[in-house]
């Protein structure tokens, strides 16, 4: 550990008192167990970049699960154990998550008279990680609190803003790292180092992905498409030759063609527009990008995609449902003249925000884009003035008819055929006469 540097000062400057205290507690419990404990990975990387990262990944040289149980008692939280991997997750009452992993001691038997050598297990743990910038650790035991563990010159790569693998077989061991390389490159505005890029191109050429049946491909793709600005990352996917693997039906347009680029720009624009208006709303940008990229593919191709990448059944149903409804709505609205409000409502009412923004992104006609915008900002919030209680008072018996009546009223309201409560009452008694 020649490069050992102490980060306590940086930590107290960048982290809240609560996080420091938490890290100190981890160190104290580790001492009780006679283990070494470290915080590792993205947390260390982001600390050195002075960015906040609330994912705590802890590695202990010892039994991680037993350690997690004791730590959870001390901190007050639930433990989820993953026996097979020797890992555990502690969920604190505050909602903060701490992942605990075990670095196993590995003994190397030397022949003949030489003694068994114990290789530092944290070093092996870090060596198995994806990139040098993610392969640093900070020790937490009280006597060494804040000591930076950097075996692989990671600090230098961080300074050079370089994404580098730790060894030549990295992408052979785990091809999903290719997606991670792109994600980090674009998020942090780093560069995939030349040798690492060569290894990626080789892995792609050798078709290392096989069938893509590792569910982590889809997980990593989702993370990539969910990044703040996904467009450059998608273009990099194309640049590195990953499109034929992900979307074989787009094969003729290997190098992202003009149309796809236009579609990505429109998608980003639709998302930015929505974010500006509804900052707090939850939605999944990756769905919009995925639908937009496959915008010109038939439904069956999306189904094949879901099967190949082992997309969970619920997500599969959601993606297929949104695409089907959205494509249908786009077609309907594009063929007629300017649509009535009620027609917009009928076309869009079953869609989620993701499907709506997808329609907005791929629409060629401004009329369709406008329809989405008007639906999101106004029409979807409209409601009839009368409610179920009013209908009961008017003498209607509760049942499926209520839904029909209220929908009829909503449509009349959207097309401005009714204004007041009295207008609505008149319309109900005219359309649904009581016997
Ligand atoms: P983010 O900021 O996106 O959360 P992160 O670096 O924290 O980035 P995670 O996906 O949470 O990324 O992974 C945590 C750590 O686990 C990483 O820093 C990395 O060291 C390691 N890791 C994750 N995935 C892999 C992988 N496929 N191969 C090797 N190491 C990995």
């Amino acid at each position: 550990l020649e490069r050992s540097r102490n980060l306590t000062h940086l930590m107290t400057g960048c982290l809240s008192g609560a996080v420091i205290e938490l890290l100190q507690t981890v160190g104290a419990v580790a001492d009780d167990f006679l283990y070494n404990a470290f915080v590792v990975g993205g947390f260390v990387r982001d600390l050195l970049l002075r960015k906040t990262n609330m994912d705590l990944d802890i590695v202990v040289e010892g039994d991680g699960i037993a350690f997690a149980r004791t730590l959870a008692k001390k901190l007050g939280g639930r433990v989820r154990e993953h026996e097979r991997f020797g890992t555990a997750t502690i969920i604190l009452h505050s909602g903060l998550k701490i992942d605990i992993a075990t670095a196993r001691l590995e003994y190397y038997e030397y022949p003949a008279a030489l003694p068994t050598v114990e290789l530092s297990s944290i070093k092996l743990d870090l060596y198995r990680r994806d990139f040098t910038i993610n392969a640093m650790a900070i020790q937490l035991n009280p006597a060494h609190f804040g000591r930076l563990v950097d075996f692989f010159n990671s600090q230098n790569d961080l300074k050079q803003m370089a994404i580098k693998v730790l060894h030549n077989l990295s992408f052979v061991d785990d091809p999903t790292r290719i997606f991670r390389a792109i994600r980090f490159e674009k998020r942090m505005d780093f560069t995939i180092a030349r040798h690492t890029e060569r290894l990626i191109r080789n892995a792609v050429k050798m078709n290392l992905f096989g069938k893509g049946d590792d569910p982590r491909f889809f997980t990593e793709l989702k993370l990539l498409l969910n990044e703040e600005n996904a467009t450059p990352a998608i273009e990099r996917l194309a640049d590195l030759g990953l499109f034929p693997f992900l979307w074989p039906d787009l094969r003729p347009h290997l190098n992202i063609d003009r149309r796809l680029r236009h579609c990505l720009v429109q998608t980003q624009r639709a998302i930015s527009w929505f974010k500006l208006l509804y900052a707090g709303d939850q939605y999944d940008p990756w769905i919009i990008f995925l639908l937009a990229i496959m915008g010109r593919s038939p439904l069956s191709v999306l189904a094949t995609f879901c099967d190949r990448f082992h997309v969970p059944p619920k997500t599969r149903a959601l993606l297929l449902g949104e695409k089907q409804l959205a494509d249908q709505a786009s077609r309907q609205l594009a063929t007629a003249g300017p649509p009535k409000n009620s027609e917009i409502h009928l076309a869009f009412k079953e869609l989620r925000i993701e499907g709506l923004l997808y329609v907005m992104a791929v629409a060629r006609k401004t009329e369709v884009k406008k329809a989405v915008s008007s639906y999101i900002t106004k029409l979807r919030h409209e409601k009839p003035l009368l409610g179920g209680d009013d209908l009961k008072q008017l003498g209607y018996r509760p049942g499926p008819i209520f839904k029909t009546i209220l929908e009829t009223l909503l449509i009349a309201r959207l097309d401005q055929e009714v204004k007041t409560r009295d207008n609505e009452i008149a319309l109900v008694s005219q359309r649904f006469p009581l016997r």
Side-chain angles (χ1 to χ4, degrees):
L1 296 179
E2 314 78 40
R3 280 172 224 288
S4 121
R5 171 183 162 196
N6 197 291
L7 299 183
T8 308
H9 192 66
L10 179 63
M11 288 161 84
T12 40
C14 293
L15 306 171
S16 70
V19 172
I20 297 276
E21 208 172 296
L22 186 92
L23 294 174
Q24 283 168 337
T25 306
V26 175
V29 173
D31 263 12
D32 293 343
F33 275 78
L34 302 178
Y35 292 167
N36 287 322
F38 307 86
V39 58
V40 299
F43 181 88
V44 183
R45 176 197 71 216
D46 288 343
L47 177 71
L48 287 166
L49 294 171
R50 284 141 184 92
K51 285 190 196 142
T52 32
N53 181 328
M54 284 287 87
D55 292 339
L56 277 184
D57 284 316
I58 304 291
V59 171
V60 298
E61 291 180 324
D63 180 349
I65 293 185
F67 179 83
R69 282 183 197 149
T70 304
L71 183 64
K73 259 193 216 123
K74 198 143 209 170
L75 296 172
R78 287 183 295 123
V79 189
R80 253 194 347 236
E81 298 176 12
H82 317 284
E83 200 69 53
R84 229 177 54 145
F85 304 103
T87 62
T89 304
I90 302 178
I91 298 131
L92 299 184
H93 298 316
S94 64
L96 192 81
K97 263 180 31 184
I98 309 175
D99 284 312
I100 314 264
T102 302
R104 286 187 190 80
L105 285 171
E106 303 196 16
Y107 294 93
Y108 282 72
E109 300 279 349
Y110 283 90
L114 287 170
T116 306
V117 172
E118 178 190 302
L119 203 72
S120 148
S121 50
I122 185 67
K123 184 166 185 178
L124 263 170
D125 179 281
L126 295 173
Y127 186 67
R128 291 197 187 104
R129 286 172 185 268
D130 48 3
F131 308 113
T132 57
I133 56 166
N134 289 338
M136 284 177 279
I138 298 172
Q139 190 155 7
L140 300 175
N141 301 75
H144 303 286
F145 190 83
R147 182 169 80 177
L148 178 68
V149 178
D150 177 7
F151 293 107
F152 312 111
N153 211 3
S154 302
Q155 290 175 88
N156 193 52
D157 292 337
L158 209 54
K159 255 185 234 141
Q160 308 280 326
M161 301 166 72
I163 315 275
K164 274 189 200 166
V165 286
L166 287 136
H167 56 85
N168 286 348
L169 293 180
S170 191
F171 297 119
V172 178
D173 290 348
D174 179 359
T176 68
R177 288 175 184 162
I178 296 175
F179 292 73
R180 297 177 60 82
I182 296 174
R183 180 154 66 87
F184 289 124
E185 181 184 65
K186 296 310 168 198
R187 181 204 296 173
M188 309 198 294
D189 208 8
F190 277 32
T191 308
I192 297 175
R194 203 191 304 162
H195 181 62
T196 296
E197 179 167 335
R198 205 175 302 134
L199 294 174
I200 294 181
R201 292 192 185 276
N202 274 335
V204 172
K205 229 182 270 157
M206 284 157 47
N207 194 20
L208 271 182
F209 308 107
K211 300 193 302 287
D213 51 4
D214 184 339
R216 285 180 315 149
F217 277 117
F218 181 61
T219 308
E220 287 294 343
L221 179 66
K222 264 182 1 191
L223 287 171
L224 183 148
L225 297 179
N226 258 352
E227 286 286 325
E228 187 60 31
N229 183 5
T231 303
I234 298 168
E235 290 179 345
R236 189 69 154 135
L237 279 174
D239 166 52
L240 291 171
L242 288 150
F243 263 49
F245 165 68
L246 289 166
W247 299 292
D249 72 311
L250 301 180
R251 202 180 270 282
H253 319 283
L254 248 187
N255 294 315
I256 270 211
D257 62 2
R258 245 187 38 245
R259 240 141 124 196
L260 184 57
R261 181 162 291 144
H262 177 73
C263 151
L264 293 177
V265 171
Q266 294 298 316
T267 306
Q268 195 71 59
R269 208 181 259 176
I271 292 175
S272 304
W273 171 81
F274 182 76
K275 272 211 305 222
L276 199 65
L277 288 173
Y278 303 97
D281 286 21
Q282 288 298 309
Y283 66 104
D284 291 311
W286 71 266
I287 297 181
I288 311 165
F289 274 109
L290 183 64
L291 291 176
I293 292 168
M294 305 192 74
R296 288 185 293 139
S297 313
L299 203 59
S300 60
V301 170
L302 179 58
T304 310
F305 172 92
C306 291
D307 295 340
R308 265 186 64 224
F309 291 104
H310 292 253
V311 174
K314 254 199 189 150
T315 312
R316 183 185 198 274
L318 187 153
L319 287 171
L320 291 171
E322 289 295 297
K323 180 171 171 60
Q324 186 168 26
L325 285 167
D327 287 349
Q328 196 180 314
S330 302
R331 248 177 283 125
Q332 259 172 31
L333 294 175
T335 44
K340 294 205 290 189
N341 283 344
S342 59
E343 287 167 344
I344 298 176
H345 160 81
L346 287 171
F348 289 158
K349 67 177 184 172
E350 306 289 345
L351 279 171
R352 299 164 43 122
I353 285 299
E354 290 86 349
L356 290 166
L357 292 177
Y358 157 60
V359 172
M360 188 182 239
V362 299
R364 303 225 183 91
K365 284 195 176 175
T366 18
E367 248 158 35
V368 179
K369 285 188 197 290
K370 274 195 190 142
V372 178
S373 141
S374 134
Y375 182 75
I376 290 180
T377 56
K378 295 197 299 270
L379 306 183
R380 71 180 168 135
H381 305 298
E382 290 279 5
K383 285 199 171 62
L385 299 179
L386 299 185
D389 285 342
D390 299 307
L391 297 183
K392 270 189 238 165
Q393 284 209 329
L394 289 172
Y396 293 90
R397 285 240 303 278
I401 186 75
F402 271 37
K403 210 177 148 210
T404 316
I405 298 178
L406 293 173
E407 176 75 5
T408 307
L409 285 175
L410 176 59
I411 284 175
R413 169 156 302 279
L414 288 170
D415 292 339
Q416 289 166 348
E417 285 158 10
V418 292
K419 279 217 169 68
T420 63
R421 277 175 69 88
D422 285 345
N423 294 158
E424 290 198 357
I425 292 171
L427 184 74
V428 175
S429 43
Q430 181 208 336
R431 296 266 190 92
F432 305 91
L434 281 166
R435 269 179 292 150

